[in-house]
Structure formats: C-alpha cells, structure tokens
Amino acid sequence: MPHLIDDAEALLRERGFKITPQRTLLLQVLAGQPIYLDADEIYELAHAQDASISLATVYRTLGLYAELGLVDHRYVEPEHRREVFRLSEGPEQHYLTCVRCGTRVLIRTDLLNQMANELVRRKGVSVSSACACFTGYCAACTEALRREGKLPG
Amino acid sequence: MPHLIDDAEALLRERGFKITPQRTLLLQVLAGQPIYLDADEIYELAHAQDASISLATVYRTLGLYAELGLVDHRYVEPEHRREVFRLSEGPEQHYLTCVRCGTRVLIRTDLLNQMANELVRRKGVSVSSACACFTGYCAACTEALRREGKLPG
DNA sequence: ATTACTGCAAAGGCTTTGCATTGTA
DNA sequence: TACAATGCAAAGCCTTTGCAGTAAT
C-alpha cells in the first residue's frame, strides 16, 4: 500500500514532523498486517528489517500515529494487558482470543453496532468507540480439549 | 449484607480455604460497594478499618474470590489500565463509561449474548467470557456538549 | 545550523511472587 | 502440629521518559 504510506508521510510533513527511516518502516510493517498487533510484535517485524530500531521508538511512533489518527489502538487480549495497534482504515475489527493458542478469531460486528445504536437511541448517550472482547477457545482448541474430555460437548 | 458474607465464608470453608480476618474484611468492604473498584481503592477502604492489611493480600484475596466466582473482575475504564472488581451477584454488567464525567451507563447484554452464541454456532469456538466496553458521553454530557456546539446533532 | 528524533537504559505504574513469619483449623 | 495465609520487599510486565548523540530539514 504505497498510496497509504505516501498519504501518511504527507500528513507528517504537513504537521511539521520529520520523515525518518523508522517512521517509514513502521508504516510499511503496519500496512502489511490485516489484524491488530501488540507493540512487541510490531517491534519484532520492524527489527527483522532494520536491526537498529528500538522498542522505545516503536512506542513513540505508534503513539504519534494514534494521535494523528493513522492507527487504531485498543486492548483486545483477554487480560487486556497489552495494547494492540493497526492502521486505521477499513472497518473496526473485534476478536475472540484463544487462551490456549493465542489465535484471534474475527467476530462479525453488526451486532456490536446494533448494541451501540440501541444504546444511543434508548439512553441518549453518544458512543465514540465500541469494543467487544471475547475470551475462550478457538475451534481447533475447542475440539482438541473435547477429545481430551476437558471441555463438555 | 451479612447473608452474602456468610455464604462466601461457607464456600471458602467448603473448598478448604481458611477464614481470616483479612478475607472477612474484604468481603465486608466489597459488600458495601455498588460499583467496580480498583485494587487500590479496595485496599484503602480495607486499610482504614485494619491498618495491618497489605496490598499483596488484597490482590491475592481478590484473585481467589474471582476464581471462586465471588467477584467479577474486569477492565471497564477507557484506558483499561487498572483492573476493577466487585462482588458478582446479579447479572453481568456492562457499561458505557463517560469520558467527560466518569458516569457509567448500564448496557443491555442480550445482544452481547447473542453475539457470543452466534460466534459459537458459526465458528465452532467456545466462549468463556464476553465483555463489551463502550466509550463515549453519557446523556447529560452529550446534551451539554451539543449545547456548547462541541458535538454534532 | 536547528531542532526533532533516536537508542539506550533507567524509571513508572500496576500486579505478582519468594520467603520467613503468623495464625487458622 | 501442620500447613495455608500474611506482610514485606523484590521482581515482573508493559510502557514511558531523561539524556546525550544523531540525523532530517
């Protein structure tokens, strides 16, 4: 997605920020990812291409991009410990995270939107962000655990 | 709620755990709270009644109570930093947290359950917990901001 | 030439854990 | 008496920050 990266860099310039190899690299890394990644995963991917990049720069850059609206950042893990990031294009994504293998299973979000809409209609609130976090086992782990008799069904 | 505390202590005994002054005190503290509190708030309330209780014991006890199903623990604040706890009586509660005044607006959870059921049916996963976190403005703040022209509508 | 950005390492905030001691059963 | 529970302090985990050096404009 060179277009997206160009746009992002144009925005950086426009706001008086500098274009550095690290910032470009992080845009490239993020552009290749369909799902949310945590800071460390992003760092590993970037580090594989440029061993000199530091985790601190990853955090600072992600923070900057979040402020500029270039990335979404959320807590989707079951424990809600690690923050996760992705480029903020396309529809919001929500997951079930498997506590056994870490797989993230995409969730249809129309019902979540329906919840938000209903909330607005019935309570008069305004909703700026909605997040559904499910914890459990992915299909493969569910089946494996059933075979081991560790899960009913 | 002495009834609740008795029940909780009966459960502790039944599972082979010991009844200690700290555990009883924490049940008393929690029983007086209608909303989620973080560990430090719970510690402060307990500490006011027994200066010898430690934060480590608060964490350990809350963890134990969570395992026993006596308390719910979640991240409901917008920043998701601090974990919060409350006695788990009554149905699960989910909120929209107002970023302006902190008010928590209760959310109907039937759609959340529907999401979970659909996920199980369509993807073969198993869901152990579901959590919806909405961020936005409560009705009062929404209206106030509209009057100030700071919110469309 | 400026001044923002970076890497490093240290610090911060919340939570967990090791260990010797205390206290329940 | 036996062993779980506690308090203390240290460590852990993720994230942020201070600082001196580096690099973009």
Side-chain angles (χ1 to χ4, degrees):
Chain A
M1 272 133 168
H3 201 269
L4 190 153
I5 292 176
D6 289 349
D7 289 353
E9 297 194 339
L11 179 61
L12 284 175
R13 246 184 290 268
E14 182 185 310
R15 300 287 182 91
F17 296 102
K18 290 177 176 169
I19 314 294
T20 66
Q22 292 89 340
R23 286 180 177 167
T24 302
L25 173 56
L26 286 171
L27 286 172
Q28 287 166 354
V29 164
L30 289 167
Q33 299 303 326
I35 61 165
Y36 285 88
L37 297 178
D38 67 46
D40 202 63
E41 290 169 327
I42 293 166
Y43 167 71
E44 290 299 338
L45 288 169
H47 191 258
Q49 306 212 190
D50 172 1
S52 76
I53 197 171
S54 74
L55 187 54
T57 293
V58 171
Y59 274 107
R60 277 189 281 232
T61 305
L62 289 171
L64 173 64
Y65 288 175
E67 267 182 40
L68 293 175
L70 293 171
V71 313
D72 281 346
H73 53 133
R74 290 227 315 274
Y75 295 82
V76 294
E77 302 302 321
E79 345 78 54
H80 288 223
R81 291 283 295 234
R82 309 171 74 103
E83 194 169 16
V84 291
F85 306 83
R86 62 156 209 157
L87 283 182
S88 52
E89 26 148 35
E92 279 268 328
Q93 293 185 357
H94 302 273
Y95 303 96
L96 173 140
T97 306
C98 179
V99 296
R100 187 158 172 270
C101 71
T103 294
R104 297 197 259 256
V105 181
L106 261 175
I107 289 168
R108 285 180 49 207
T109 55
D110 41 357
L111 282 174
L112 188 66
N113 294 332
Q114 203 176 316
M115 283 180 76
N117 291 338
E118 193 167 310
L119 195 56
V120 169
R121 200 171 59 240
R122 292 165 55 113
K123 306 272 176 117
V125 305
S126 43
V127 175
S128 58
S129 87
C131 164
C133 314
F134 293 89
T135 300
Y137 299 105
C138 70
C141 288
T142 295
E143 213 185 312
L145 289 168
R146 278 204 184 122
R147 270 196 299 270
E148 296 171 30
K150 291 178 180 164
L151 215 59
Chain B
M1 273 135 168
H3 201 270
L4 190 153
I5 292 175
D6 290 349
D7 288 353
E9 296 193 340
L11 179 63
L12 284 175
R13 247 185 290 267
E14 182 185 310
R15 301 287 182 92
F17 296 104
K18 291 177 176 169
I19 313 294
T20 65
Q22 292 88 341
R23 285 179 177 168
T24 301
L25 173 56
L26 285 172
L27 286 172
Q28 288 166 355
V29 164
L30 288 168
Q33 299 301 328
I35 60 164
Y36 285 87
L37 297 179
D38 66 46
D40 202 63
E41 290 169 328
I42 292 167
Y43 168 71
E44 289 299 339
L45 288 168
H47 191 258
Q49 307 210 192
D50 172 1
S52 76
I53 197 172
S54 74
L55 186 55
T57 293
V58 170
Y59 273 108
R60 276 190 281 234
T61 305
L62 289 171
L64 173 62
Y65 288 174
E67 267 183 39
L68 293 174
L70 293 171
V71 312
D72 280 347
H73 55 131
R74 292 227 315 275
Y75 296 81
V76 294
E77 302 304 321
E79 345 78 54
H80 288 222
R81 287 288 293 236
R82 310 169 76 100
E83 194 167 18
V84 292
F85 306 83
R86 62 155 211 155
L87 284 181
S88 54
E89 20 152 35
E92 276 269 328
Q93 293 185 357
H94 301 271
Y95 302 95
L96 173 143
T97 305
C98 179
V99 295
R100 186 158 173 269
C101 72
T103 294
R104 295 198 260 257
V105 181
L106 263 175
I107 289 167
R108 284 179 53 205
T109 54
D110 43 355
L111 281 175
L112 189 65
N113 295 332
Q114 201 177 317
M115 283 179 78
N117 291 338
E118 192 168 310
L119 195 56
V120 169
R121 200 173 58 241
R122 293 164 55 111
K123 306 273 176 118
V125 306
S126 42
V127 175
S128 57
S129 86
C131 162
C133 315
F134 293 88
T135 300
Y137 299 105
C138 70
C141 288
T142 295
E143 214 185 312
L145 289 169
R146 280 209 183 116
R147 269 197 300 269
E148 296 171 30
K150 291 178 182 166
L151 216 58

